[in-house]
Amino acid sequence: MWGRKKPAPAPATDDKPPQRLRDALRRARIESAERAGVIVDLRDAEIARLEMLNEALDPLFGEIPDNVELFDRGIVRGDPPRLWIDVVAHVDMGRDKRTYRFVQDSRYGRKILAESADINEIVEAVTKYVARRIIERERALAADDRPLRLDAARDERLRRRARWRAIRAFIFGLLLGIAAAIGAIVLLATQSMD
Protein backbone atom coordinates (compact mmCIF):
# COMPACT_ATOMS: atom_id res chain seq x y z
CA MET A 1 0.00 0.00 0.00
CA TRP A 2 1.99 2.94 1.21
CA GLY A 3 5.35 2.67 -0.44
CA ARG A 4 5.24 -1.01 -0.92
CA LYS A 5 5.37 -2.32 -4.39
CA LYS A 6 3.47 -5.31 -5.37
CA PRO A 7 5.61 -8.13 -6.58
CA ALA A 8 5.62 -8.46 -10.35
CA PRO A 9 3.48 -11.27 -11.62
CA ALA A 10 5.46 -14.38 -12.49
CA PRO A 11 5.86 -14.88 -16.24
CA ALA A 12 3.50 -17.42 -17.68
CA THR A 13 5.20 -20.73 -18.24
CA ASP A 14 3.15 -21.26 -21.42
CA ASP A 15 5.20 -18.57 -23.24
CA LYS A 16 8.55 -20.33 -22.75
CA PRO A 17 8.01 -23.56 -24.70
CA PRO A 18 7.00 -21.80 -27.92
CA GLN A 19 10.08 -19.62 -27.57
CA ARG A 20 12.23 -22.71 -27.14
CA LEU A 21 10.56 -24.48 -30.03
CA ARG A 22 10.90 -21.43 -32.24
CA ASP A 23 14.59 -21.17 -31.33
CA ALA A 24 15.08 -24.88 -31.92
CA LEU A 25 13.41 -24.65 -35.33
CA ARG A 26 15.56 -21.66 -36.24
CA ARG A 27 18.72 -23.51 -35.19
CA ALA A 28 17.61 -26.62 -37.13
CA ARG A 29 17.02 -24.53 -40.26
CA ILE A 30 20.44 -22.94 -39.96
CA GLU A 31 22.11 -26.35 -39.53
CA SER A 32 20.18 -27.74 -42.49
CA ALA A 33 21.26 -24.83 -44.67
CA GLU A 34 24.87 -25.30 -43.59
CA ARG A 35 24.69 -29.03 -44.41
CA ALA A 36 23.11 -28.30 -47.79
CA GLY A 37 25.89 -25.82 -48.47
CA VAL A 38 28.46 -28.45 -47.58
CA ILE A 39 26.76 -30.98 -49.87
CA VAL A 40 26.74 -28.47 -52.74
CA ASP A 41 30.40 -27.72 -52.06
CA LEU A 42 31.22 -31.46 -52.10
CA ARG A 43 29.37 -31.95 -55.40
CA ASP A 44 31.19 -28.96 -56.90
CA ALA A 45 34.47 -30.43 -55.68
CA GLU A 46 33.61 -33.79 -57.29
CA ILE A 47 32.80 -32.11 -60.59
CA ALA A 48 36.02 -30.08 -60.42
CA ARG A 49 38.05 -33.26 -59.85
CA LEU A 50 36.33 -35.01 -62.75
CA GLU A 51 37.00 -31.99 -64.98
CA MET A 52 40.70 -32.17 -64.04
CA LEU A 53 40.71 -35.87 -65.02
CA ASN A 54 38.87 -35.03 -68.25
CA GLU A 55 41.58 -32.50 -69.13
CA ALA A 56 44.27 -35.08 -68.32
CA LEU A 57 42.58 -37.48 -70.78
CA ASP A 58 42.57 -34.94 -73.66
CA PRO A 59 45.91 -36.13 -75.15
CA LEU A 60 44.73 -39.76 -75.09
CA PHE A 61 41.48 -39.03 -76.89
CA GLY A 62 43.34 -36.79 -79.35
CA GLU A 63 45.32 -39.84 -80.51
CA ILE A 64 42.26 -42.00 -81.24
CA PRO A 65 41.68 -42.31 -85.02
CA ASP A 66 38.68 -40.42 -86.38
CA ASN A 67 37.09 -43.57 -87.81
CA VAL A 68 36.79 -45.11 -84.32
CA GLU A 69 33.49 -43.95 -82.88
CA LEU A 70 33.40 -46.13 -79.79
CA PHE A 71 34.08 -43.41 -77.26
CA ASP A 72 31.81 -40.57 -76.24
CA ARG A 73 33.50 -38.81 -73.36
CA GLY A 74 31.66 -36.30 -71.22
CA ILE A 75 30.80 -35.28 -67.68
CA VAL A 76 27.25 -35.87 -66.51
CA ARG A 77 26.38 -33.62 -63.58
CA GLY A 78 23.91 -36.03 -62.00
CA ASP A 79 23.90 -37.56 -58.57
CA PRO A 80 26.64 -38.77 -58.43
CA PRO A 81 28.51 -36.86 -61.14
CA ARG A 82 30.29 -39.13 -63.64
CA LEU A 83 32.85 -38.85 -66.40
CA TRP A 84 31.68 -41.24 -69.12
CA ILE A 85 34.38 -42.80 -71.28
CA ASP A 86 32.04 -44.83 -73.49
CA VAL A 87 28.61 -46.41 -73.20
CA VAL A 88 29.62 -48.92 -70.52
CA ALA A 89 32.57 -47.35 -68.67
CA HIS A 90 32.73 -44.27 -66.48
CA VAL A 91 34.74 -42.64 -63.72
CA ASP A 92 33.06 -41.47 -60.55
CA MET A 93 34.29 -40.42 -57.14
CA GLY A 94 34.57 -42.80 -54.20
CA ARG A 95 32.85 -42.32 -50.87
CA ASP A 96 35.63 -40.10 -49.56
CA LYS A 97 35.15 -37.78 -52.60
CA ARG A 98 38.91 -37.86 -53.27
CA THR A 99 39.29 -41.30 -54.80
CA TYR A 100 38.59 -41.85 -58.48
CA ARG A 101 36.81 -45.10 -59.38
CA PHE A 102 36.97 -46.34 -62.97
CA VAL A 103 33.97 -48.63 -63.39
CA GLN A 104 32.64 -50.79 -66.23
CA ASP A 105 29.01 -51.91 -66.36
CA SER A 106 28.31 -55.44 -67.55
CA ARG A 107 25.37 -57.82 -67.54
CA TYR A 108 26.69 -59.27 -64.27
CA GLY A 109 26.96 -55.92 -62.50
CA ARG A 110 29.61 -53.26 -62.11
CA LYS A 111 33.27 -54.11 -62.24
CA ILE A 112 35.81 -51.70 -60.75
CA LEU A 113 38.69 -51.50 -63.23
CA ALA A 114 40.81 -49.08 -61.19
CA GLU A 115 40.54 -47.08 -57.99
CA SER A 116 43.05 -44.45 -56.93
CA ALA A 117 43.38 -40.92 -55.62
CA ASP A 118 46.12 -40.25 -58.21
CA ILE A 119 44.97 -38.89 -61.57
CA ASN A 120 47.92 -40.44 -63.41
CA GLU A 121 46.97 -43.97 -62.32
CA ILE A 122 43.40 -43.47 -63.55
CA VAL A 123 44.69 -42.00 -66.84
CA GLU A 124 46.86 -45.11 -67.25
CA ALA A 125 43.89 -47.41 -66.55
CA VAL A 126 41.69 -45.52 -69.03
CA THR A 127 44.51 -45.71 -71.62
CA LYS A 128 44.69 -49.50 -71.23
CA TYR A 129 40.91 -49.76 -71.45
CA VAL A 130 40.76 -47.65 -74.62
CA ALA A 131 43.56 -49.71 -76.22
CA ARG A 132 41.73 -52.97 -75.42
CA ARG A 133 38.46 -51.64 -76.84
CA ILE A 134 40.17 -50.55 -80.08
CA ILE A 135 41.82 -53.99 -80.44
CA GLU A 136 38.46 -55.71 -79.79
CA ARG A 137 36.88 -53.54 -82.48
CA GLU A 138 39.64 -54.37 -84.99
CA ARG A 139 39.30 -58.10 -84.28
CA ALA A 140 35.54 -57.97 -84.63
CA LEU A 141 35.80 -56.17 -87.96
CA ALA A 142 38.47 -58.57 -89.25
CA ALA A 143 36.54 -61.66 -88.12
CA ASP A 144 33.27 -60.47 -89.63
CA ASP A 145 34.63 -59.72 -93.13
CA ARG A 146 34.56 -63.27 -94.54
CA PRO A 147 31.24 -64.35 -93.01
CA LEU A 148 29.58 -61.24 -94.43
CA ARG A 149 30.57 -62.25 -97.96
CA LEU A 150 29.42 -65.82 -97.34
CA ASP A 151 26.21 -64.60 -95.75
CA ALA A 152 25.37 -62.55 -98.85
CA ALA A 153 25.65 -65.59 -101.15
CA ARG A 154 23.72 -67.78 -98.72
CA ASP A 155 21.04 -65.11 -98.31
CA GLU A 156 20.62 -64.92 -102.10
CA ARG A 157 20.11 -68.70 -102.28
CA LEU A 158 17.58 -68.55 -99.47
CA ARG A 159 15.70 -65.73 -101.19
CA ARG A 160 15.52 -67.76 -104.42
CA ARG A 161 14.22 -70.79 -102.54
CA ALA A 162 11.63 -68.70 -100.73
CA ARG A 163 10.53 -67.14 -104.03
CA TRP A 164 10.05 -70.59 -105.64
CA ARG A 165 8.17 -71.81 -102.57
CA ALA A 166 5.80 -68.86 -102.85
CA ILE A 167 5.27 -69.49 -106.57
CA ARG A 168 4.60 -73.21 -105.93
CA ALA A 169 2.15 -72.39 -103.14
CA PHE A 170 0.32 -69.93 -105.38
CA ILE A 171 0.06 -72.45 -108.24
CA PHE A 172 -1.06 -75.19 -105.85
CA GLY A 173 -3.72 -72.89 -104.38
CA LEU A 174 -4.84 -71.84 -107.85
CA LEU A 175 -5.20 -75.48 -108.99
CA LEU A 176 -6.98 -76.40 -105.77
CA GLY A 177 -9.37 -73.46 -106.24
CA ILE A 178 -10.09 -74.49 -109.84
CA ALA A 179 -10.71 -78.09 -108.74
CA ALA A 180 -13.05 -76.89 -105.98
CA ALA A 181 -14.94 -74.68 -108.45
CA ILE A 182 -15.31 -77.55 -110.92
CA GLY A 183 -16.50 -79.83 -108.13
CA ALA A 184 -19.09 -77.27 -107.02
CA ILE A 185 -20.32 -76.82 -110.59
CA VAL A 186 -20.64 -80.57 -111.07
CA LEU A 187 -22.48 -80.93 -107.74
CA LEU A 188 -24.91 -78.14 -108.58
CA ALA A 189 -25.46 -79.55 -112.07
CA THR A 190 -26.28 -83.03 -110.72
CA GLN A 191 -28.66 -81.60 -108.13
CA SER A 192 -30.49 -79.48 -110.67
CA MET A 193 -31.02 -82.52 -112.93
CA ASP A 194 -32.64 -84.44 -110.12
Side-chain angles (χ1 to χ4, degrees):
M1 290 177 113
W2 292 279
R4 284 190 186 167
K5 292 186 179 179
K6 290 186 179 178
T13 56
D14 295 338
D15 292 340
K16 289 275 183 178
Q19 282 292 338
R20 289 185 200 155
L21 179 61
R22 195 175 320 153
D23 290 339
L25 286 172
R26 188 170 118 312
R27 275 186 254 124
R29 286 188 184 115
I30 291 171
E31 290 172 2
S32 175
E34 288 173 355
R35 269 184 273 147
V38 168
I39 289 171
V40 169
D41 290 343
L42 285 175
R43 182 166 295 135
D44 289 343
E46 283 182 84
I47 292 171
R49 287 179 185 272
L50 290 174
E51 286 173 349
M52 289 184 340
L53 177 62
N54 194 20
E55 290 172 6
L57 290 171
D58 282 340
L60 167 68
F61 283 91
E63 294 177 20
I64 295 175
D66 292 335
N67 63 348
V68 177
E69 296 177 355
L70 289 173
F71 307 102
D72 190 19
R73 181 174 53 130
I75 295 176
V76 176
R77 297 175 186 267
D79 187 27
R82 294 179 176 155
L83 170 62
W84 286 92
I85 304 301
D86 64 2
V87 178
V88 295
H90 66 272
V91 178
D92 60 9
M93 302 305 294
R95 290 181 185 224
D96 64 352
K97 308 300 181 199
R98 291 187 184 114
T99 304
Y100 297 98
R101 287 187 330 167
F102 182 37
V103 180
Q104 181 180 16
D105 293 330
S106 70
R107 70 179 95 167
Y108 305 113
R110 288 197 172 150
K111 179 180 173 186
I112 296 176
L113 301 176
E115 188 169 12
S116 174
D118 185 25
I119 288 181
N120 294 328
E121 290 180 22
I122 299 299
V123 168
E124 185 65 30
V126 171
T127 303
K128 289 178 184 176
Y129 174 78
V130 167
R132 278 184 296 204
R133 289 294 305 252
I134 291 174
I135 296 298
E136 286 174 9
R137 177 184 178 272
E138 290 173 356
R139 285 185 181 164
L141 290 175
D144 283 349
D145 186 30
R146 185 169 165 247
L148 283 177
R149 285 182 277 156
L150 293 176
D151 286 346
R154 185 176 49 120
D155 288 346
E156 182 60 34
R157 277 183 271 144
L158 290 175
R159 272 191 236 116
R160 267 191 252 131
R161 284 183 192 162
R163 193 176 310 133
W164 279 110
R165 282 187 198 136
I167 291 171
R168 276 187 255 148
F170 175 75
I171 292 172
F172 179 72
L174 186 64
L175 291 175
L176 189 63
I178 291 172
I182 291 173
I185 291 172
V186 168
L187 184 65
L188 288 175
T190 57
Q191 286 181 355
S192 64
M193 289 189 177
D194 289 336

